[in-house]
Amino acid sequence: MSAKILITGGAGFIGSHLADALLARGHHVRVFDNLSPQVHGKDAGVPDYLSPDVEFMRGDVRDANALRQALEGVDAVYHLAAMVGVGQSMYQIDDYTAVNDLGTATLLQLLIERPVKRLVVASSMSIYGEGLYEDEHGALISNATRSAEQLKKGQWEPVSTDGLPLTPIATPESKQPELASIYALGKYAQERMCLITGQAYGIPTTAMRFFNVYGTRQALSNPYTGVLAIFASRLLNGKAPRIFEDGRQRRDFVHVKDVARACADALDRPESAGHAINIGSGNIYTVEQIAATLARTMGRQDIAPEVTGEYRVGDIRHCFADLTNAEKLLGFRPEVGFDEGLGELVEWVASQTAEDRVGEADKELRQRGLVA
Ligand code: UD1
């Protein structure tokens, strides 16, 4: 059945793909977005990639009056509006807390007056901190961390209390959160606020814990975006990608179309209500591997990545998704293979201009000891 759906942050990378997926299913899609200059550029209008079939409303999620109008006649809400830079969240604590926490609170306050039939909120793998590990006896370690002393010595892998190696394994939703940044704290607050309010007011609510999402429309000029977009933007500008640590840290890269489909499917999956669900891919690569694959795919093998041996405060070593619940509760199975997804990304990147602002971001972090 066709529904009227609001996507907050729907002009962004994930939101715009979700809009396409929902439109393709015959829904009416309204987007509420502040067109943040860091993402869309200064004085930007509605991005060209946003479907003309979307009803667009410009506004800030902290503005209750604007958001009230956006909620008019709406059956379901996808709450994706957020500030998304993990490093940046550590020096813009007030802005991140205002947009991510208070913005969500503003939405929920309005939903009390005007409940919807469905709420889906974007959460993040960042809430886990380090992923789940196993020690040499097969015991599960859910609180692995790396001390500052360890990182200073370049000992990148988390170790057991006896200093023995640990093996990373797929992280299920039951892993206890280890919040290592203001961004992660905000994402956890967002998902809990939504699930608690949904439960109290009978709004079926699902939180989607996205892993490392990549694909077209990623904000190439935003230096706080994900590693693939940063590396692509560097290579596009003829500059070497800069790899932190030794490049052997692993991530779970999930294509944005798989993410959009998982989100759209949640509408027709009442059994997913009340849950926070991992959305990853099982495509697990090291940062070194993705730098090499990207350079090859872009025909820029002449630019070797620079392995800096430095690290970002709050970075984790390994985290990848256990997708058991995603399959059980959403019927989710990733469909886009990494080679296919990367090929598409590279083709799109070639048609873009990207302002390389990594240097500026690096300076901001470095000044505050957040890159060392
Ligand atoms: C983080 C968040 C995630 C969020 C994402 C995008 C954590 C654990 N996860 O993911 O929830 O959705 O940011 O905001 O906080 N790297 C380089 N060189 C660079 C940039 C990154 O080597 O120029 C490395 C990082 O050190 C890291 C890996 O690439 O080891 C991935 O970094 P990034 O893409 O920022 O994502 P996460 O930190 O995994």
Side-chain angles (χ1 to χ4, degrees), residues 34-47 58 355:
N34 71 342
L35 301 178
S36 154
Q38 179 163 308
V39 174
H40 296 276
K42 235 176 107 208
D43 305 322
V46 180
R58 185 168 186 162
E355 196 186 333

PDB file of all heavy atoms in Angstrom, residues 34-47 58 355:
ATOM      1  N   ASN A  34      18.491  20.215   6.028  1.00  0.00           N
ATOM      2  CA  ASN A  34      18.990  21.598   6.157  1.00  0.00           C
ATOM      3  C   ASN A  34      20.072  21.917   5.124  1.00  0.00           C
ATOM      4  O   ASN A  34      20.624  23.009   5.127  1.00  0.00           O
ATOM      5  CB  ASN A  34      19.520  21.862   7.576  1.00  0.00           C
ATOM      6  CG  ASN A  34      20.825  21.142   7.855  1.00  0.00           C
ATOM      7  OD1 ASN A  34      21.182  20.194   7.151  1.00  0.00           O
ATOM      8  ND2 ASN A  34      21.551  21.571   8.873  1.00  0.00           N
ATOM      9  N   LEU A  35      20.394  20.970   4.242  1.00  0.00           N
ATOM     10  CA  LEU A  35      21.433  21.158   3.224  1.00  0.00           C
ATOM     11  C   LEU A  35      22.717  21.716   3.845  1.00  0.00           C
ATOM     12  O   LEU A  35      23.265  22.737   3.393  1.00  0.00           O
ATOM     13  CB  LEU A  35      20.929  22.067   2.090  1.00  0.00           C
ATOM     14  CG  LEU A  35      19.690  21.569   1.340  1.00  0.00           C
ATOM     15  CD1 LEU A  35      19.262  22.567   0.268  1.00  0.00           C
ATOM     16  CD2 LEU A  35      19.938  20.197   0.702  1.00  0.00           C
ATOM     17  N   SER A  36      23.187  21.032   4.851  1.00  0.00           N
ATOM     18  CA  SER A  36      24.384  21.442   5.582  1.00  0.00           C
ATOM     19  C   SER A  36      25.543  21.754   4.632  1.00  0.00           C
ATOM     20  O   SER A  36      25.877  20.947   3.755  1.00  0.00           O
ATOM     21  CB  SER A  36      24.775  20.287   6.519  1.00  0.00           C
ATOM     22  OG  SER A  36      26.151  20.320   6.791  1.00  0.00           O
ATOM     23  N   PRO A  37      26.157  22.949   4.764  1.00  0.00           N
ATOM     24  CA  PRO A  37      27.233  23.345   3.844  1.00  0.00           C
ATOM     25  C   PRO A  37      28.412  22.365   3.837  1.00  0.00           C
ATOM     26  O   PRO A  37      29.038  22.177   2.803  1.00  0.00           O
ATOM     27  CB  PRO A  37      27.694  24.705   4.384  1.00  0.00           C
ATOM     28  CG  PRO A  37      26.587  25.184   5.253  1.00  0.00           C
ATOM     29  CD  PRO A  37      25.839  23.986   5.745  1.00  0.00           C
ATOM     30  N   GLN A  38      28.689  21.742   4.977  1.00  0.00           N
ATOM     31  CA  GLN A  38      29.819  20.802   5.011  1.00  0.00           C
ATOM     32  C   GLN A  38      29.590  19.621   4.066  1.00  0.00           C
ATOM     33  O   GLN A  38      30.527  19.048   3.512  1.00  0.00           O
ATOM     34  CB  GLN A  38      30.041  20.295   6.436  1.00  0.00           C
ATOM     35  CG  GLN A  38      31.181  19.295   6.536  1.00  0.00           C
ATOM     36  CD  GLN A  38      31.669  19.120   7.964  1.00  0.00           C
ATOM     37  OE1 GLN A  38      31.981  20.076   8.653  1.00  0.00           O
ATOM     38  NE2 GLN A  38      31.717  17.889   8.412  1.00  0.00           N
ATOM     39  N   VAL A  39      28.329  19.267   3.890  1.00  0.00           N
ATOM     40  CA  VAL A  39      27.988  18.133   3.034  1.00  0.00           C
ATOM     41  C   VAL A  39      27.684  18.595   1.604  1.00  0.00           C
ATOM     42  O   VAL A  39      28.163  18.015   0.632  1.00  0.00           O
ATOM     43  CB  VAL A  39      26.756  17.386   3.620  1.00  0.00           C
ATOM     44  CG1 VAL A  39      26.285  16.283   2.680  1.00  0.00           C
ATOM     45  CG2 VAL A  39      27.088  16.832   4.995  1.00  0.00           C
ATOM     46  N   HIS A  40      26.888  19.660   1.489  1.00  0.00           N
ATOM     47  CA  HIS A  40      26.357  20.046   0.169  1.00  0.00           C
ATOM     48  C   HIS A  40      27.105  21.206  -0.473  1.00  0.00           C
ATOM     49  O   HIS A  40      26.835  21.534  -1.622  1.00  0.00           O
ATOM     50  CB  HIS A  40      24.875  20.391   0.313  1.00  0.00           C
ATOM     51  CG  HIS A  40      24.044  19.216   0.726  1.00  0.00           C
ATOM     52  ND1 HIS A  40      23.565  18.286  -0.164  1.00  0.00           N
ATOM     53  CD2 HIS A  40      23.659  18.776   1.951  1.00  0.00           C
ATOM     54  CE1 HIS A  40      22.902  17.345   0.488  1.00  0.00           C
ATOM     55  NE2 HIS A  40      22.945  17.615   1.776  1.00  0.00           N
ATOM     56  N   GLY A  41      28.033  21.808   0.267  1.00  0.00           N
ATOM     57  CA  GLY A  41      28.744  22.975  -0.260  1.00  0.00           C
ATOM     58  C   GLY A  41      28.039  24.250   0.191  1.00  0.00           C
ATOM     59  O   GLY A  41      26.875  24.220   0.613  1.00  0.00           O
ATOM     60  N   LYS A  42      28.769  25.364   0.069  1.00  0.00           N
ATOM     61  CA  LYS A  42      28.235  26.652   0.527  1.00  0.00           C
ATOM     62  C   LYS A  42      27.075  27.101  -0.364  1.00  0.00           C
ATOM     63  O   LYS A  42      27.151  26.963  -1.581  1.00  0.00           O
ATOM     64  CB  LYS A  42      29.368  27.688   0.482  1.00  0.00           C
ATOM     65  CG  LYS A  42      29.577  28.386   1.807  1.00  0.00           C
ATOM     66  CD  LYS A  42      30.769  29.328   1.747  1.00  0.00           C
ATOM     67  CE  LYS A  42      30.308  30.755   1.719  1.00  0.00           C
ATOM     68  NZ  LYS A  42      31.182  31.675   1.069  1.00  0.00           N
ATOM     69  N   ASP A  43      26.027  27.616   0.252  1.00  0.00           N
ATOM     70  CA  ASP A  43      24.852  28.158  -0.464  1.00  0.00           C
ATOM     71  C   ASP A  43      24.284  27.176  -1.492  1.00  0.00           C
ATOM     72  O   ASP A  43      23.781  27.584  -2.547  1.00  0.00           O
ATOM     73  CB  ASP A  43      25.216  29.469  -1.198  1.00  0.00           C
ATOM     74  CG  ASP A  43      25.812  30.504  -0.261  1.00  0.00           C
ATOM     75  OD1 ASP A  43      25.321  30.583   0.886  1.00  0.00           O
ATOM     76  OD2 ASP A  43      26.769  31.201  -0.655  1.00  0.00           O
ATOM     77  N   ALA A  44      24.379  25.908  -1.195  1.00  0.00           N
ATOM     78  CA  ALA A  44      23.922  24.903  -2.168  1.00  0.00           C
ATOM     79  C   ALA A  44      22.398  24.845  -2.202  1.00  0.00           C
ATOM     80  O   ALA A  44      21.731  25.082  -1.197  1.00  0.00           O
ATOM     81  CB  ALA A  44      24.475  23.537  -1.797  1.00  0.00           C
ATOM     82  N   GLY A  45      21.877  24.515  -3.371  1.00  0.00           N
ATOM     83  CA  GLY A  45      20.449  24.234  -3.492  1.00  0.00           C
ATOM     84  C   GLY A  45      20.234  22.735  -3.336  1.00  0.00           C
ATOM     85  O   GLY A  45      21.143  22.001  -2.932  1.00  0.00           O
ATOM     86  N   VAL A  46      19.032  22.313  -3.688  1.00  0.00           N
ATOM     87  CA  VAL A  46      18.708  20.879  -3.611  1.00  0.00           C
ATOM     88  C   VAL A  46      19.651  20.139  -4.564  1.00  0.00           C
ATOM     89  O   VAL A  46      19.813  20.541  -5.711  1.00  0.00           O
ATOM     90  CB  VAL A  46      17.240  20.656  -4.034  1.00  0.00           C
ATOM     91  CG1 VAL A  46      16.877  19.182  -3.975  1.00  0.00           C
ATOM     92  CG2 VAL A  46      16.314  21.469  -3.156  1.00  0.00           C
ATOM     93  N   PRO A  47      20.293  19.070  -4.115  1.00  0.00           N
ATOM     94  CA  PRO A  47      21.253  18.390  -4.995  1.00  0.00           C
ATOM     95  C   PRO A  47      20.592  17.786  -6.239  1.00  0.00           C
ATOM     96  O   PRO A  47      19.453  17.337  -6.170  1.00  0.00           O
ATOM     97  CB  PRO A  47      21.832  17.284  -4.105  1.00  0.00           C
ATOM     98  CG  PRO A  47      20.914  17.157  -2.947  1.00  0.00           C
ATOM     99  CD  PRO A  47      20.206  18.460  -2.782  1.00  0.00           C
ATOM    100  N   ARG A  58      13.051  22.461   3.242  1.00  0.00           N
ATOM    101  CA  ARG A  58      14.320  22.777   3.883  1.00  0.00           C
ATOM    102  C   ARG A  58      14.095  23.145   5.341  1.00  0.00           C
ATOM    103  O   ARG A  58      13.221  23.963   5.649  1.00  0.00           O
ATOM    104  CB  ARG A  58      14.985  23.940   3.159  1.00  0.00           C
ATOM    105  CG  ARG A  58      16.360  24.208   3.712  1.00  0.00           C
ATOM    106  CD  ARG A  58      17.125  25.149   2.815  1.00  0.00           C
ATOM    107  NE  ARG A  58      18.481  25.261   3.302  1.00  0.00           N
ATOM    108  CZ  ARG A  58      19.480  25.712   2.589  1.00  0.00           C
ATOM    109  NH1 ARG A  58      19.296  26.073   1.361  1.00  0.00           N
ATOM    110  NH2 ARG A  58      20.682  25.800   3.101  1.00  0.00           N
ATOM    111  N   GLU A 355      36.568  18.940  -3.814  1.00  0.00           N
ATOM    112  CA  GLU A 355      37.503  19.868  -3.192  1.00  0.00           C
ATOM    113  C   GLU A 355      38.198  19.072  -2.086  1.00  0.00           C
ATOM    114  O   GLU A 355      37.507  18.484  -1.242  1.00  0.00           O
ATOM    115  CB  GLU A 355      36.692  21.017  -2.588  1.00  0.00           C
ATOM    116  CG  GLU A 355      37.512  22.227  -2.245  1.00  0.00           C
ATOM    117  CD  GLU A 355      36.627  23.240  -1.514  1.00  0.00           C
ATOM    118  OE1 GLU A 355      35.407  23.227  -1.738  1.00  0.00           O
ATOM    119  OE2 GLU A 355      37.173  24.010  -0.717  1.00  0.00           O
TER     120      GLU A 355
END
